[in-house]
Amino acid sequence: MQHVARLLRAERRALGTRAGAWALTCFYQALLVLVWFRKGEDKTIIGAGFGVSRATAYRCVAEAVRVLAAQTPTLHDALARVAADGWSHVILDGKLFDTDRLAETTSSVKGDPIDAWHSGKYRDFGANIQAVMRPRPRRYA
């Protein structure tokens, strides 16, 4: 939580955000976001628990996700690191995470407008998160 709060604080400083401009401090914003990641509840409910509106909860989550996403390496950088470390192979895996419906459209292969966040396979809205992992067996103590 402290790591996320530090990233949020650095982002606010970089943007020149005035102290007290946000309804929540960086610490409580990080807590709200981590609760949302862990529990996956409606942002209205989580926001109410922190004493903020639904819109503020959405903005808090969006800012934190943007700040966290900026920390991730690109696929090219990750594979370059793997090669430099001498790994023989990696495992690429992914998972579809539930999301709130977003009003973003794109074109299908046939040229029809479709919702960009809808998964036909799962018949639900979600984001596909991919990860490159080292193939190492778990060792239990």
Side-chain angles (χ1 to χ4, degrees):
M1 186 168 66
Q2 291 176 354
H3 176 69
V4 176
R6 274 190 236 110
L7 292 174
L8 290 168
R9 194 171 302 114
E11 175 74 5
R12 289 182 187 182
R13 283 187 187 135
L15 294 174
T17 305
R18 296 182 336 267
W22 278 78
L24 297 175
T25 65
C26 294
F27 177 84
Y28 283 110
Q29 181 180 354
L31 183 59
L32 180 145
V33 170
L34 294 175
V35 167
W36 178 74
F37 275 132
R38 177 71 174 110
K39 308 234 352 135
E41 291 183 13
D42 184 53
K43 291 181 189 85
T44 305
I45 295 169
I46 294 174
F50 283 85
V52 296
S53 69
R54 177 180 184 222
T56 300
Y58 268 89
R59 282 193 302 271
C60 287
V61 170
E63 182 189 32
V65 168
R66 189 174 55 252
V67 167
L68 288 170
Q71 301 296 309
T72 61
T74 64
L75 180 59
H76 178 74
D77 292 339
L79 293 177
R81 180 177 171 193
V82 165
D85 289 348
W87 295 4
S88 62
H89 60 285
V90 295
I91 298 170
L92 175 65
D93 196 7
K95 179 174 178 11
L96 183 74
F97 289 91
D98 288 335
T99 61
D100 296 291
R101 183 176 175 152
L102 301 174
E104 181 179 348
T105 58
T106 187
S107 295
S108 70
V109 176
K110 297 177 183 177
D112 299 329
I114 58 170
D115 194 316
W117 290 89
H118 189 267
S119 170
K121 179 178 179 181
Y122 293 102
R123 293 184 172 88
D124 200 2
F125 294 91
N128 188 1
I129 307 298
Q130 299 289 317
V132 176
M133 295 166 280
R134 182 179 191 163
R136 181 173 59 185
R138 289 187 175 178
R139 295 186 187 150
Y140 297 99

